Amino acid sequence: MRDFAAIDFETANEQLSSVCSVGIVIVRNGIITERFYSLIQPEPDYYNYSNSQVHGLSYEDTANAEIFPKVWQQIEPLIEGLPLVAHNKGFDESSLKAVFRTYQMDYPDYQFYCTLAEARRQLRHLPNHKLNTVAEDCGHILTNHHNALADAEACAEIAIQLL
């Protein structure tokens, strides 16, 4: 696959709709051409301690951020016509569908591919298939793990090699 958009969400709490940040990396002809990152005011708007421990974001970080529909208006033109790729598509696709439902937006049935599933299939020699492990095996050092943009970029680098 030469053209796609890698996507990563971080969530504020146990609700899949509580996306609090998004990273998008656009790949065209096998080359990263564009990056997009935004904080998002989550819905519901509260943070679990464990989620904040993972990604470092808190209520104060997103209190003045745009809500999801406003952020998605910026993303839609970037990803138009592109399949989406995520590392553990089950989480990111479910989060995207949940937040679309929360805001009663029409979900356009995005085509999703999963680098986690592909890594499990192709890279059986690895001790695990976590994003940072797979990225490193593909020659990409993930320095800011659980930052949505850094994770989306790692996913893009993996997808360029494996998909």
Side-chain angles (χ1 to χ4, degrees):
M1 190 164 36
R2 308 291 290 154
D3 301 310
F4 61 89
I7 187 167
D8 185 77
F9 289 111
E10 299 298 329
T11 54
N13 56 61
E14 71 284 350
Q15 301 296 317
L16 288 171
S17 64
S18 70
V19 296
C20 59
S21 69
V22 61
I24 306 275
V25 174
I26 305 298
V27 175
R28 297 206 184 269
N29 205 22
I31 297 168
I32 293 174
T33 59
E34 204 164 345
R35 293 169 178 83
F36 175 89
Y37 175 79
S38 182
L39 294 172
I40 300 169
Q41 192 173 99
E43 182 58 43
D45 193 5
Y46 67 90
Y47 281 79
N48 280 353
Y49 177 77
S50 58
N51 289 55
S52 290
Q53 287 298 107
V54 169
H55 51 58
L57 297 174
S58 66
Y59 178 83
E60 291 75 24
D61 294 312
T62 58
N64 296 315
E66 298 279 3
I67 62 171
F68 178 80
K70 296 263 189 208
V71 174
W72 200 251
Q73 285 176 349
Q74 299 170 62
I75 293 171
E76 268 184 319
L78 298 174
I79 66 169
E80 188 175 354
L82 295 174
L84 301 180
V85 176
H87 196 78
N88 187 9
K89 96 172 186 136
F91 172 77
D92 294 286
E93 185 176 27
S94 295
S95 292
L96 186 58
K97 286 179 177 179
V99 77
F100 263 74
R101 271 192 310 276
T102 295
Y103 287 100
Q104 300 176 348
M105 299 164 62
D106 291 329
Y107 187 79
D109 259 351
Y110 292 109
Q111 186 175 19
F112 257 92
Y113 292 89
C114 185
T115 55
L116 173 59
E118 200 56 34
R120 285 178 174 153
R121 196 175 72 71
Q122 291 187 41
L123 305 176
R124 295 176 191 218
H125 62 280
L126 294 178
N128 64 62
H129 295 92
K130 295 177 183 175
L131 181 62
N132 55 329
T133 304
V134 176
E136 186 174 338
D137 191 70
C138 291
H140 178 80
I141 304 302
L142 178 54
T143 56
N144 197 7
H145 196 9
H146 297 297
N147 167 281
L149 183 57
D151 286 1
E153 186 167 345
C155 177
E157 294 287 355
I158 293 165
I160 288 168
Q161 291 191 38
L162 299 186
L163 295 179

